[in-house]
Amino acid sequence: MNPKKLKQLRKKVRHLPMSQRKTAYMDRMAAYYKQFNDFPAAKILISNVLLADKMLAAGDLPQQLPLLQLPDDIQDQIFRKLEGQYPTGDATGDQLWNDLTDTLPRLDHDLRAFRDYLENHYGMWAYTSAPFVTDLAKFVGDRAVLEVMAGNGYISKGLRDAHKTVYATDSQTWTTENETGRHALTTIEPLGAVEAFQKYQDKIGVVVMSWSPDGLPVDWELLQAIRNSQASVDFVVIGEKNGATDSATFWSHAELVENAATRQLNRHFTPFDLVKDQAYLVK
């Protein structure tokens, strides 16, 4: 294919709806699903990934995920299953054993890489499930919400679908770097976090900040702005304390509230990989 036609093809693919795009990652997951069809411990994890992708491609919030980690005894489970189906030394059984156990490291790697796929393909950084947003909507009640750093608007869309008043904002400075902001699910106003709070502080009762970038001081600047204002708001922060999100300064100054409301917010916000993010109430 000549360079001109290749460039035209790439441009066409970039403008396809997300549901029509084919990715090597999801092709591999579909293949794993068939290969491990007789092994429920692996199949349930793969099916969760496939279902989440299907829902996101349709523009819906996905389901809650289990921990996407193969059990330690998965090889024993495979051996026991094949032992019950094939006599010792059977060539077919031996080949299946080799194929399955050879695939396990790749499957394990791809399950752990699901967050990377979500970030790169959908611009979803915090895994925003429908059950979590339902809990958040209950916490919000009849108050208006300001979401800062809304990205593609997964949280704001869910809250708006629940008939909440939401001011969804994002600086949109990352749109040239990744999928964040390129496929918004709802209307996003181009405002930085502090600017957005200053604009809407008199209209809101809840501020939501999800996955503020690691190391950047904007989270601490926002917290100071909230503290220095006369606004009475709950500040909901979604991230990993002293980990993958937010600045060290923010975490060192944030006063984290632990109560029944935070436990309720985290009922369905559970880790699915090595990142241990959760929802916090910050004062």
Side-chain angles (χ1 to χ4, degrees), residues 116-135:
D116 292 336
Y117 171 77
L118 293 172
E119 293 171 358
N120 295 328
H121 195 62
Y122 293 108
M124 175 181 270
W125 296 79
Y127 185 78
T128 306
S129 72
F132 166 69
V133 174
T134 296
D135 291 337

mmCIF file with all atom_site columns, all heavy atoms in Angstrom, residues 116-135:
data_model
loop_
_atom_site.group_PDB
_atom_site.id
_atom_site.type_symbol
_atom_site.label_atom_id
_atom_site.label_alt_id
_atom_site.label_comp_id
_atom_site.label_asym_id
_atom_site.label_entity_id
_atom_site.label_seq_id
_atom_site.pdbx_PDB_ins_code
_atom_site.Cartn_x
_atom_site.Cartn_y
_atom_site.Cartn_z
_atom_site.occupancy
_atom_site.B_iso_or_equiv
_atom_site.pdbx_formal_charge
_atom_site.auth_seq_id
_atom_site.auth_comp_id
_atom_site.auth_asym_id
_atom_site.auth_atom_id
_atom_site.pdbx_PDB_model_num
ATOM 1   N N   . ASP A 1 116 ? -4.218  -0.181 31.458 1.00 0.00 ? 116 ASP A N   1
ATOM 2   C CA  . ASP A 1 116 ? -3.522  0.491  30.359 1.00 0.00 ? 116 ASP A CA  1
ATOM 3   C C   . ASP A 1 116 ? -4.412  0.579  29.122 1.00 0.00 ? 116 ASP A C   1
ATOM 4   O O   . ASP A 1 116 ? -4.444  1.598  28.432 1.00 0.00 ? 116 ASP A O   1
ATOM 5   C CB  . ASP A 1 116 ? -2.227  -0.252 30.008 1.00 0.00 ? 116 ASP A CB  1
ATOM 6   C CG  . ASP A 1 116 ? -1.193  -0.170 31.107 1.00 0.00 ? 116 ASP A CG  1
ATOM 7   O OD1 . ASP A 1 116 ? -1.249  0.790  31.906 1.00 0.00 ? 116 ASP A OD1 1
ATOM 8   O OD2 . ASP A 1 116 ? -0.329  -1.059 31.170 1.00 0.00 ? 116 ASP A OD2 1
ATOM 9   N N   . TYR A 1 117 ? -5.124  -0.508 28.838 1.00 0.00 ? 117 TYR A N   1
ATOM 10  C CA  . TYR A 1 117 ? -6.039  -0.511 27.695 1.00 0.00 ? 117 TYR A CA  1
ATOM 11  C C   . TYR A 1 117 ? -7.135  0.542  27.879 1.00 0.00 ? 117 TYR A C   1
ATOM 12  O O   . TYR A 1 117 ? -7.453  1.295  26.940 1.00 0.00 ? 117 TYR A O   1
ATOM 13  C CB  . TYR A 1 117 ? -6.666  -1.896 27.543 1.00 0.00 ? 117 TYR A CB  1
ATOM 14  C CG  . TYR A 1 117 ? -7.790  -1.933 26.534 1.00 0.00 ? 117 TYR A CG  1
ATOM 15  C CD1 . TYR A 1 117 ? -7.529  -1.950 25.165 1.00 0.00 ? 117 TYR A CD1 1
ATOM 16  C CD2 . TYR A 1 117 ? -9.120  -1.950 26.955 1.00 0.00 ? 117 TYR A CD2 1
ATOM 17  C CE1 . TYR A 1 117 ? -8.562  -1.982 24.243 1.00 0.00 ? 117 TYR A CE1 1
ATOM 18  C CE2 . TYR A 1 117 ? -10.158 -1.984 26.035 1.00 0.00 ? 117 TYR A CE2 1
ATOM 19  C CZ  . TYR A 1 117 ? -9.870  -1.993 24.680 1.00 0.00 ? 117 TYR A CZ  1
ATOM 20  O OH  . TYR A 1 117 ? -10.900 -2.019 23.772 1.00 0.00 ? 117 TYR A OH  1
ATOM 21  N N   . LEU A 1 118 ? -7.696  0.619  29.079 1.00 0.00 ? 118 LEU A N   1
ATOM 22  C CA  . LEU A 1 118 ? -8.753  1.596  29.337 1.00 0.00 ? 118 LEU A CA  1
ATOM 23  C C   . LEU A 1 118 ? -8.243  3.025  29.165 1.00 0.00 ? 118 LEU A C   1
ATOM 24  O O   . LEU A 1 118 ? -8.928  3.879  28.597 1.00 0.00 ? 118 LEU A O   1
ATOM 25  C CB  . LEU A 1 118 ? -9.302  1.411  30.756 1.00 0.00 ? 118 LEU A CB  1
ATOM 26  C CG  . LEU A 1 118 ? -10.055 0.121  31.026 1.00 0.00 ? 118 LEU A CG  1
ATOM 27  C CD1 . LEU A 1 118 ? -10.369 -0.002 32.515 1.00 0.00 ? 118 LEU A CD1 1
ATOM 28  C CD2 . LEU A 1 118 ? -11.330 0.026  30.206 1.00 0.00 ? 118 LEU A CD2 1
ATOM 29  N N   . GLU A 1 119 ? -7.035  3.279  29.655 1.00 0.00 ? 119 GLU A N   1
ATOM 30  C CA  . GLU A 1 119 ? -6.457  4.620  29.543 1.00 0.00 ? 119 GLU A CA  1
ATOM 31  C C   . GLU A 1 119 ? -6.197  4.977  28.082 1.00 0.00 ? 119 GLU A C   1
ATOM 32  O O   . GLU A 1 119 ? -6.540  6.073  27.624 1.00 0.00 ? 119 GLU A O   1
ATOM 33  C CB  . GLU A 1 119 ? -5.159  4.696  30.347 1.00 0.00 ? 119 GLU A CB  1
ATOM 34  C CG  . GLU A 1 119 ? -5.367  4.587  31.848 1.00 0.00 ? 119 GLU A CG  1
ATOM 35  C CD  . GLU A 1 119 ? -4.059  4.451  32.600 1.00 0.00 ? 119 GLU A CD  1
ATOM 36  O OE1 . GLU A 1 119 ? -2.980  4.407  31.941 1.00 0.00 ? 119 GLU A OE1 1
ATOM 37  O OE2 . GLU A 1 119 ? -4.088  4.373  33.844 1.00 0.00 ? 119 GLU A OE2 1
ATOM 38  N N   . ASN A 1 120 ? -5.584  4.041  27.358 1.00 0.00 ? 120 ASN A N   1
ATOM 39  C CA  . ASN A 1 120 ? -5.179  4.323  25.986 1.00 0.00 ? 120 ASN A CA  1
ATOM 40  C C   . ASN A 1 120 ? -6.344  4.349  25.005 1.00 0.00 ? 120 ASN A C   1
ATOM 41  O O   . ASN A 1 120 ? -6.351  5.125  24.053 1.00 0.00 ? 120 ASN A O   1
ATOM 42  C CB  . ASN A 1 120 ? -4.142  3.296  25.526 1.00 0.00 ? 120 ASN A CB  1
ATOM 43  C CG  . ASN A 1 120 ? -2.847  3.387  26.304 1.00 0.00 ? 120 ASN A CG  1
ATOM 44  O OD1 . ASN A 1 120 ? -2.456  4.467  26.736 1.00 0.00 ? 120 ASN A OD1 1
ATOM 45  N ND2 . ASN A 1 120 ? -2.183  2.261  26.491 1.00 0.00 ? 120 ASN A ND2 1
ATOM 46  N N   . HIS A 1 121 ? -7.338  3.484  25.236 1.00 0.00 ? 121 HIS A N   1
ATOM 47  C CA  . HIS A 1 121 ? -8.421  3.342  24.268 1.00 0.00 ? 121 HIS A CA  1
ATOM 48  C C   . HIS A 1 121 ? -9.620  4.226  24.569 1.00 0.00 ? 121 HIS A C   1
ATOM 49  O O   . HIS A 1 121 ? -10.279 4.726  23.651 1.00 0.00 ? 121 HIS A O   1
ATOM 50  C CB  . HIS A 1 121 ? -8.868  1.879  24.210 1.00 0.00 ? 121 HIS A CB  1
ATOM 51  C CG  . HIS A 1 121 ? -9.716  1.552  23.021 1.00 0.00 ? 121 HIS A CG  1
ATOM 52  N ND1 . HIS A 1 121 ? -9.270  1.672  21.723 1.00 0.00 ? 121 HIS A ND1 1
ATOM 53  C CD2 . HIS A 1 121 ? -10.998 1.115  22.931 1.00 0.00 ? 121 HIS A CD2 1
ATOM 54  C CE1 . HIS A 1 121 ? -10.237 1.325  20.884 1.00 0.00 ? 121 HIS A CE1 1
ATOM 55  N NE2 . HIS A 1 121 ? -11.290 0.979  21.593 1.00 0.00 ? 121 HIS A NE2 1
ATOM 56  N N   . TYR A 1 122 ? -9.917  4.410  25.868 1.00 0.00 ? 122 TYR A N   1
ATOM 57  C CA  . TYR A 1 122 ? -11.105 5.168  26.249 1.00 0.00 ? 122 TYR A CA  1
ATOM 58  C C   . TYR A 1 122 ? -10.792 6.443  27.027 1.00 0.00 ? 122 TYR A C   1
ATOM 59  O O   . TYR A 1 122 ? -11.711 7.224  27.299 1.00 0.00 ? 122 TYR A O   1
ATOM 60  C CB  . TYR A 1 122 ? -12.036 4.294  27.103 1.00 0.00 ? 122 TYR A CB  1
ATOM 61  C CG  . TYR A 1 122 ? -12.652 3.149  26.349 1.00 0.00 ? 122 TYR A CG  1
ATOM 62  C CD1 . TYR A 1 122 ? -12.243 1.846  26.588 1.00 0.00 ? 122 TYR A CD1 1
ATOM 63  C CD2 . TYR A 1 122 ? -13.640 3.369  25.394 1.00 0.00 ? 122 TYR A CD2 1
ATOM 64  C CE1 . TYR A 1 122 ? -12.809 0.782  25.889 1.00 0.00 ? 122 TYR A CE1 1
ATOM 65  C CE2 . TYR A 1 122 ? -14.214 2.318  24.695 1.00 0.00 ? 122 TYR A CE2 1
ATOM 66  C CZ  . TYR A 1 122 ? -13.798 1.022  24.953 1.00 0.00 ? 122 TYR A CZ  1
ATOM 67  O OH  . TYR A 1 122 ? -14.351 -0.018 24.256 1.00 0.00 ? 122 TYR A OH  1
ATOM 68  N N   . GLY A 1 123 ? -9.552  6.653  27.395 1.00 0.00 ? 123 GLY A N   1
ATOM 69  C CA  . GLY A 1 123 ? -9.248  7.792  28.247 1.00 0.00 ? 123 GLY A CA  1
ATOM 70  C C   . GLY A 1 123 ? -9.885  7.666  29.613 1.00 0.00 ? 123 GLY A C   1
ATOM 71  O O   . GLY A 1 123 ? -10.186 8.660  30.273 1.00 0.00 ? 123 GLY A O   1
ATOM 72  N N   . MET A 1 124 ? -10.099 6.441  30.086 1.00 0.00 ? 124 MET A N   1
ATOM 73  C CA  . MET A 1 124 ? -10.663 6.198  31.424 1.00 0.00 ? 124 MET A CA  1
ATOM 74  C C   . MET A 1 124 ? -9.517  5.874  32.375 1.00 0.00 ? 124 MET A C   1
ATOM 75  O O   . MET A 1 124 ? -8.870  4.833  32.240 1.00 0.00 ? 124 MET A O   1
ATOM 76  C CB  . MET A 1 124 ? -11.679 5.053  31.407 1.00 0.00 ? 124 MET A CB  1
ATOM 77  C CG  . MET A 1 124 ? -12.187 4.694  32.801 1.00 0.00 ? 124 MET A CG  1
ATOM 78  S SD  . MET A 1 124 ? -13.365 3.316  32.840 1.00 0.00 ? 124 MET A SD  1
ATOM 79  C CE  . MET A 1 124 ? -14.909 4.209  32.664 1.00 0.00 ? 124 MET A CE  1
ATOM 80  N N   . TRP A 1 125 ? -9.275  6.746  33.320 1.00 0.00 ? 125 TRP A N   1
ATOM 81  C CA  . TRP A 1 125 ? -8.165  6.568  34.253 1.00 0.00 ? 125 TRP A CA  1
ATOM 82  C C   . TRP A 1 125 ? -8.636  5.911  35.548 1.00 0.00 ? 125 TRP A C   1
ATOM 83  O O   . TRP A 1 125 ? -8.118  4.882  35.949 1.00 0.00 ? 125 TRP A O   1
ATOM 84  C CB  . TRP A 1 125 ? -7.491  7.919  34.503 1.00 0.00 ? 125 TRP A CB  1
ATOM 85  C CG  . TRP A 1 125 ? -6.881  8.442  33.241 1.00 0.00 ? 125 TRP A CG  1
ATOM 86  C CD1 . TRP A 1 125 ? -7.532  9.060  32.203 1.00 0.00 ? 125 TRP A CD1 1
ATOM 87  C CD2 . TRP A 1 125 ? -5.519  8.324  32.825 1.00 0.00 ? 125 TRP A CD2 1
ATOM 88  N NE1 . TRP A 1 125 ? -6.657  9.346  31.176 1.00 0.00 ? 125 TRP A NE1 1
ATOM 89  C CE2 . TRP A 1 125 ? -5.419  8.925  31.533 1.00 0.00 ? 125 TRP A CE2 1
ATOM 90  C CE3 . TRP A 1 125 ? -4.368  7.809  33.414 1.00 0.00 ? 125 TRP A CE3 1
ATOM 91  C CZ2 . TRP A 1 125 ? -4.214  8.989  30.834 1.00 0.00 ? 125 TRP A CZ2 1
ATOM 92  C CZ3 . TRP A 1 125 ? -3.176  7.890  32.721 1.00 0.00 ? 125 TRP A CZ3 1
ATOM 93  C CH2 . TRP A 1 125 ? -3.104  8.466  31.454 1.00 0.00 ? 125 TRP A CH2 1
ATOM 94  N N   . ALA A 1 126 ? -9.615  6.488  36.197 1.00 0.00 ? 126 ALA A N   1
ATOM 95  C CA  . ALA A 1 126 ? -10.240 5.810  37.335 1.00 0.00 ? 126 ALA A CA  1
ATOM 96  C C   . ALA A 1 126 ? -11.346 4.923  36.779 1.00 0.00 ? 126 ALA A C   1
ATOM 97  O O   . ALA A 1 126 ? -12.193 5.385  36.006 1.00 0.00 ? 126 ALA A O   1
ATOM 98  C CB  . ALA A 1 126 ? -10.819 6.816  38.317 1.00 0.00 ? 126 ALA A CB  1
ATOM 99  N N   . TYR A 1 127 ? -11.359 3.650  37.161 1.00 0.00 ? 127 TYR A N   1
ATOM 100 C CA  . TYR A 1 127 ? -12.390 2.749  36.641 1.00 0.00 ? 127 TYR A CA  1
ATOM 101 C C   . TYR A 1 127 ? -13.725 3.145  37.263 1.00 0.00 ? 127 TYR A C   1
ATOM 102 O O   . TYR A 1 127 ? -13.946 2.976  38.468 1.00 0.00 ? 127 TYR A O   1
ATOM 103 C CB  . TYR A 1 127 ? -12.053 1.300  36.965 1.00 0.00 ? 127 TYR A CB  1
ATOM 104 C CG  . TYR A 1 127 ? -13.029 0.329  36.333 1.00 0.00 ? 127 TYR A CG  1
ATOM 105 C CD1 . TYR A 1 127 ? -12.936 0.018  34.986 1.00 0.00 ? 127 TYR A CD1 1
ATOM 106 C CD2 . TYR A 1 127 ? -14.040 -0.250 37.079 1.00 0.00 ? 127 TYR A CD2 1
ATOM 107 C CE1 . TYR A 1 127 ? -13.827 -0.860 34.388 1.00 0.00 ? 127 TYR A CE1 1
ATOM 108 C CE2 . TYR A 1 127 ? -14.935 -1.131 36.496 1.00 0.00 ? 127 TYR A CE2 1
ATOM 109 C CZ  . TYR A 1 127 ? -14.825 -1.433 35.151 1.00 0.00 ? 127 TYR A CZ  1
ATOM 110 O OH  . TYR A 1 127 ? -15.719 -2.300 34.568 1.00 0.00 ? 127 TYR A OH  1
ATOM 111 N N   . THR A 1 128 ? -14.609 3.688  36.436 1.00 0.00 ? 128 THR A N   1
ATOM 112 C CA  . THR A 1 128 ? -15.863 4.276  36.903 1.00 0.00 ? 128 THR A CA  1
ATOM 113 C C   . THR A 1 128 ? -17.015 3.343  36.568 1.00 0.00 ? 128 THR A C   1
ATOM 114 O O   . THR A 1 128 ? -17.515 3.326  35.441 1.00 0.00 ? 128 THR A O   1
ATOM 115 C CB  . THR A 1 128 ? -16.085 5.648  36.248 1.00 0.00 ? 128 THR A CB  1
ATOM 116 O OG1 . THR A 1 128 ? -14.932 6.468  36.473 1.00 0.00 ? 128 THR A OG1 1
ATOM 117 C CG2 . THR A 1 128 ? -17.304 6.329  36.833 1.00 0.00 ? 128 THR A CG2 1
ATOM 118 N N   . SER A 1 129 ? -17.421 2.551  37.535 1.00 0.00 ? 129 SER A N   1
ATOM 119 C CA  . SER A 1 129 ? -18.480 1.576  37.294 1.00 0.00 ? 129 SER A CA  1
ATOM 120 C C   . SER A 1 129 ? -19.846 2.186  37.586 1.00 0.00 ? 129 SER A C   1
ATOM 121 O O   . SER A 1 129 ? -19.981 3.155  38.343 1.00 0.00 ? 129 SER A O   1
ATOM 122 C CB  . SER A 1 129 ? -18.279 0.345  38.176 1.00 0.00 ? 129 SER A CB  1
ATOM 123 O OG  . SER A 1 129 ? -18.565 0.647  39.536 1.00 0.00 ? 129 SER A OG  1
ATOM 124 N N   . ALA A 1 130 ? -20.865 1.594  36.992 1.00 0.00 ? 130 ALA A N   1
ATOM 125 C CA  . ALA A 1 130 ? -22.234 2.051  37.230 1.00 0.00 ? 130 ALA A CA  1
ATOM 126 C C   . ALA A 1 130 ? -22.638 1.915  38.702 1.00 0.00 ? 130 ALA A C   1
ATOM 127 O O   . ALA A 1 130 ? -23.248 2.836  39.259 1.00 0.00 ? 130 ALA A O   1
ATOM 128 C CB  . ALA A 1 130 ? -23.198 1.284  36.321 1.00 0.00 ? 130 ALA A CB  1
ATOM 129 N N   . PRO A 1 131 ? -22.302 0.800  39.377 1.00 0.00 ? 131 PRO A N   1
ATOM 130 C CA  . PRO A 1 131 ? -22.673 0.710  40.796 1.00 0.00 ? 131 PRO A CA  1
ATOM 131 C C   . PRO A 1 131 ? -22.016 1.794  41.656 1.00 0.00 ? 131 PRO A C   1
ATOM 132 O O   . PRO A 1 131 ? -22.640 2.318  42.583 1.00 0.00 ? 131 PRO A O   1
ATOM 133 C CB  . PRO A 1 131 ? -22.186 -0.691 41.191 1.00 0.00 ? 131 PRO A CB  1
ATOM 134 C CG  . PRO A 1 131 ? -22.195 -1.461 39.925 1.00 0.00 ? 131 PRO A CG  1
ATOM 135 C CD  . PRO A 1 131 ? -21.771 -0.483 38.871 1.00 0.00 ? 131 PRO A CD  1
ATOM 136 N N   . PHE A 1 132 ? -20.757 2.135  41.364 1.00 0.00 ? 132 PHE A N   1
ATOM 137 C CA  . PHE A 1 132 ? -20.097 3.197  42.129 1.00 0.00 ? 132 PHE A CA  1
ATOM 138 C C   . PHE A 1 132 ? -20.805 4.527  41.919 1.00 0.00 ? 132 PHE A C   1
ATOM 139 O O   . PHE A 1 132 ? -21.043 5.273  42.878 1.00 0.00 ? 132 PHE A O   1
ATOM 140 C CB  . PHE A 1 132 ? -18.628 3.333  41.746 1.00 0.00 ? 132 PHE A CB  1
ATOM 141 C CG  . PHE A 1 132 ? -18.004 4.609  42.248 1.00 0.00 ? 132 PHE A CG  1
ATOM 142 C CD1 . PHE A 1 132 ? -17.791 4.810  43.598 1.00 0.00 ? 132 PHE A CD1 1
ATOM 143 C CD2 . PHE A 1 132 ? -17.679 5.633  41.356 1.00 0.00 ? 132 PHE A CD2 1
ATOM 144 C CE1 . PHE A 1 132 ? -17.260 6.010  44.074 1.00 0.00 ? 132 PHE A CE1 1
ATOM 145 C CE2 . PHE A 1 132 ? -17.141 6.828  41.819 1.00 0.00 ? 132 PHE A CE2 1
ATOM 146 C CZ  . PHE A 1 132 ? -16.922 7.011  43.176 1.00 0.00 ? 132 PHE A CZ  1
ATOM 147 N N   . VAL A 1 133 ? -21.146 4.860  40.682 1.00 0.00 ? 133 VAL A N   1
ATOM 148 C CA  . VAL A 1 133 ? -21.796 6.133  40.417 1.00 0.00 ? 133 VAL A CA  1
ATOM 149 C C   . VAL A 1 133 ? -23.176 6.175  41.064 1.00 0.00 ? 133 VAL A C   1
ATOM 150 O O   . VAL A 1 133 ? -23.629 7.236  41.515 1.00 0.00 ? 133 VAL A O   1
ATOM 151 C CB  . VAL A 1 133 ? -21.865 6.405  38.904 1.00 0.00 ? 133 VAL A CB  1
ATOM 152 C CG1 . VAL A 1 133 ? -22.674 7.662  38.613 1.00 0.00 ? 133 VAL A CG1 1
ATOM 153 C CG2 . VAL A 1 133 ? -20.460 6.569  38.342 1.00 0.00 ? 133 VAL A CG2 1
ATOM 154 N N   . THR A 1 134 ? -23.845 5.046  41.151 1.00 0.00 ? 134 THR A N   1
ATOM 155 C CA  . THR A 1 134 ? -25.120 4.992  41.868 1.00 0.00 ? 134 THR A CA  1
ATOM 156 C C   . THR A 1 134 ? -24.927 5.352  43.335 1.00 0.00 ? 134 THR A C   1
ATOM 157 O O   . THR A 1 134 ? -25.707 6.124  43.913 1.00 0.00 ? 134 THR A O   1
ATOM 158 C CB  . THR A 1 134 ? -25.749 3.595  41.740 1.00 0.00 ? 134 THR A CB  1
ATOM 159 O OG1 . THR A 1 134 ? -26.056 3.335  40.371 1.00 0.00 ? 134 THR A OG1 1
ATOM 160 C CG2 . THR A 1 134 ? -27.027 3.496  42.570 1.00 0.00 ? 134 THR A CG2 1
ATOM 161 N N   . ASP A 1 135 ? -23.871 4.808  43.950 1.00 0.00 ? 135 ASP A N   1
ATOM 162 C CA  . ASP A 1 135 ? -23.569 5.149  45.348 1.00 0.00 ? 135 ASP A CA  1
ATOM 163 C C   . ASP A 1 135 ? -23.216 6.626  45.481 1.00 0.00 ? 135 ASP A C   1
ATOM 164 O O   . ASP A 1 135 ? -23.618 7.289  46.448 1.00 0.00 ? 135 ASP A O   1
ATOM 165 C CB  . ASP A 1 135 ? -22.400 4.300  45.858 1.00 0.00 ? 135 ASP A CB  1
ATOM 166 C CG  . ASP A 1 135 ? -22.762 2.827  46.003 1.00 0.00 ? 135 ASP A CG  1
ATOM 167 O OD1 . ASP A 1 135 ? -23.961 2.520  46.135 1.00 0.00 ? 135 ASP A OD1 1
ATOM 168 O OD2 . ASP A 1 135 ? -21.846 1.987  45.981 1.00 0.00 ? 135 ASP A OD2 1
#
